[in-house]
Amino acid sequence: MKNDLLEADEWEYLKKHFRMNEASALQLTPTHPAAHLLDEEKCAGYLDQMTAFMASPSRKVTASLLAKRYAFLTVAPTLYAMTMYNKGLDASIGNYCLVLSEQSSDPWLSHMGMRILAVSSPKDGCRNEWRDRVLAGLFAENIAPVWRNLSKLARIPRTILWENAAVRLFSLYEKRMEKEATGEIIERIRDDFSYLVKLAPPALFGEDSHPFAPFYGEEPAVHASNQPARIRKTCCYYYQVAKEEDYCDACPRANRR
């Protein structure tokens, strides 16, 4: 396994589309180690702070929306770099810091800072083994323990949190990557996606069973607006904080109406 850096245009893409930043560039902005999410007292404090800021009705709703945002800022850029650039970000939770905004114009969790920018890349003929290490670092060592703590503190089923991550995963591979890729990268996109949603061993995700497989269907359904979409199996509770009780496009509640 080789260590390198992202090219300037690659890093700019992750900053622009996934709100990644170099931690040292955020020195004037209040940041918090992402590892605080594994500390029960600190994580509970963040949940209560966010609950008040969002006028959320409960910690359960807050935890779901926090998980959606956390997945966007961690899962999306890590998998994008892995598949599109063939480069592995250091996705260990200790490498991240959270930028918590209280401005109405920004999401509550507005950016993610990275301390170590070095990336790994696979040796010739060893990409599958390298991919497993990238996925384990992201999911088993980061996402899964965060989900367990949120589930405990907010009394929310982990299935909801995992589907929040699954939604990001499906959109990333089925929409963004497929639209942007050409040539041999198309094959890599489809191979990585199939592995992630069907074939990867549960241990890579820090779970006893595959956390994404239950939410994946070969054919997207048609939701209430008559547009193709993969309808969720669980509700993320966004409608409980949205204006005028708005729903996500793939919300199972909206599509039963």
Side-chain angles (χ1 to χ4, degrees):
M1 184 173 64
K2 301 174 289 184
N3 289 298
D4 206 342
L5 292 172
L6 292 168
E7 299 293 336
D9 60 330
E10 294 170 345
W11 179 243
E12 284 302 314
Y13 186 98
L14 299 186
K15 288 172 62 177
K16 177 180 178 181
H17 294 282
F18 304 121
R19 307 197 77 160
M20 296 293 299
N21 280 277
E22 186 175 355
S24 61
L26 301 170
Q27 290 179 346
L28 300 180
T29 305
T31 62
H32 308 265
H36 282 181
L37 295 177
L38 303 183
D39 180 288
E40 289 192 17
E41 183 177 353
K42 290 185 173 68
C43 186
Y46 293 153
L47 286 172
D48 292 342
Q49 179 186 349
M50 185 179 180
T51 295
F53 174 67
M54 297 178 63
S56 168
S58 68
R59 268 191 187 179
K60 182 169 73 171
V61 172
T62 303
S64 178
L65 300 180
L66 172 59
K68 288 183 74 172
R69 190 65 186 166
Y70 192 75
F72 170 75
L73 293 168
T74 55
V75 174
T78 301
L79 295 183
Y80 189 92
M82 180 187 81
T83 298
M84 297 294 284
Y85 305 147
N86 222 22
K87 294 179 180 179
L89 301 178
D90 180 347
S92 61
I93 196 167
N95 194 36
Y96 288 125
C97 58
L98 313 175
V99 181
L100 308 180
S101 171
E102 292 192 353
Q103 299 180 21
S104 59
S105 59
D106 274 338
W108 184 81
L109 179 52
S110 59
H111 291 80
M112 190 73 80
M114 292 188 70
R115 295 185 173 91
I116 300 172
L117 302 184
V119 295
S120 63
S121 55
K123 293 181 179 178
D124 292 344
C126 297
R127 187 175 189 275
N128 288 351
E129 295 82 356
W130 167 82
R131 179 176 63 185
D132 280 356
R133 288 192 291 271
V134 173
L135 296 180
L138 171 63
F139 291 111
E141 300 169 22
N142 185 338
I143 297 297
V146 170
W147 280 190
R148 284 193 288 271
N149 207 33
L150 290 178
S151 177
K152 177 181 179 180
L153 295 172
R155 298 183 180 180
I156 183 172
R158 292 210 306 272
T159 51
I160 294 175
L161 306 181
W162 277 111
E163 188 165 21
N164 288 347
V167 167
R168 296 298 186 193
L169 170 68
F170 299 157
S171 177
L172 187 70
Y173 279 88
E174 294 180 324
K175 297 178 182 179
R176 181 180 293 273
M177 290 189 192
E178 284 277 358
K179 190 178 296 184
E180 295 178 352
T182 58
E184 65 181 33
I185 297 181
I186 291 285
E187 183 177 349
R188 192 161 72 217
I189 290 170
R190 293 172 182 170
D191 180 64
D192 283 355
F193 186 46
S194 178
Y195 188 68
L196 277 160
V197 299
K198 298 177 185 177
L199 305 174
L204 293 182
F205 303 101
E207 294 285 358
D208 295 328
S209 60
H210 198 300
F212 295 135
F215 307 118
Y216 180 73
E218 292 293 344
E219 294 295 333
V222 175
H223 64 50
S225 64
N226 294 320
Q227 296 296 318
R230 196 178 297 283
I231 306 304
R232 288 183 62 122
K233 290 181 170 57
T234 66
C235 177
C236 72
Y237 306 129
Y238 168 74
Y239 77 96
Q240 293 199 31
V241 298
K243 295 179 180 178
E244 300 179 357
E245 204 175 79
D246 198 9
Y247 292 87
C248 302
D249 285 344
C251 181
R253 293 176 181 269
N255 287 281
R256 285 199 299 263
R257 300 168 74 192

